[in-house]
Amino acid sequence: MSVVKINVLTVPADKRDLLEERFGARAGLVEGAEGFEHFELLRPVDGTDEYFVYTRWRSEEDYQNWFSGTMRQGHQGGDGEQRKPAATGAQLRAFEVVQSAAPKNA
């Protein structure tokens, strides 16, 4: 059963471009992880300051392995130092996929 992790990031308006730029620059860091299934960065359009970072994983173990390894690399600058975050807050929410649907093939 797949698991979904949604990181809710509070991002001030003046940091949105920076956040999106950083996620664009990290392309490829999660896609090759064992058990990775899907990623989306969701920009708010309803007047809030919360971005959603959606990832889906084959298992909790696969997520934890990525989190303990490659994820940490993506949150460091080019010199290995921790960068100042674009977000002012973050909450991680976790779910199990119990039902799913996809478009029917035409």
Side-chain angles (χ1 to χ4, degrees), residues 77-90:
D79 58 4
E81 292 295 318
Q82 194 74 9
R83 293 187 288 192
K84 185 173 181 178
T88 59

Side-chain angles (χ1 to χ4, degrees), residues 60-71:
E60 180 66 24
E61 180 181 9
D62 289 324
Y63 169 78
Q64 291 299 330
N65 288 338
W66 169 79
F67 184 84
S68 298
T70 308
M71 188 281 298

Side-chain angles (χ1 to χ4, degrees), residues 7-63:
N7 197 0
V8 182
L9 302 176
T10 303
V11 182
D14 65 330
K15 299 288 187 188
R16 287 181 171 197
D17 289 342
L18 176 61
L19 178 87
E20 293 179 22
E21 184 180 297
R22 285 182 178 174
F23 269 94
R26 59 123 276 319
L29 288 179
V30 71
E31 289 87 334
E34 182 71 25
F36 169 78
E37 295 179 349
H38 194 77
F39 162 85
E40 291 179 327
L41 175 63
L42 305 175
R43 177 192 303 140
V45 295
D46 59 358
T48 70
D49 58 359
E50 293 180 336
Y51 276 73
F52 284 20
V53 182
Y54 172 99
T55 58
R56 188 175 65 230
W57 299 86
R58 178 180 54 203
S59 69
E60 180 66 24
E61 180 181 9
D62 289 324
Y63 169 78

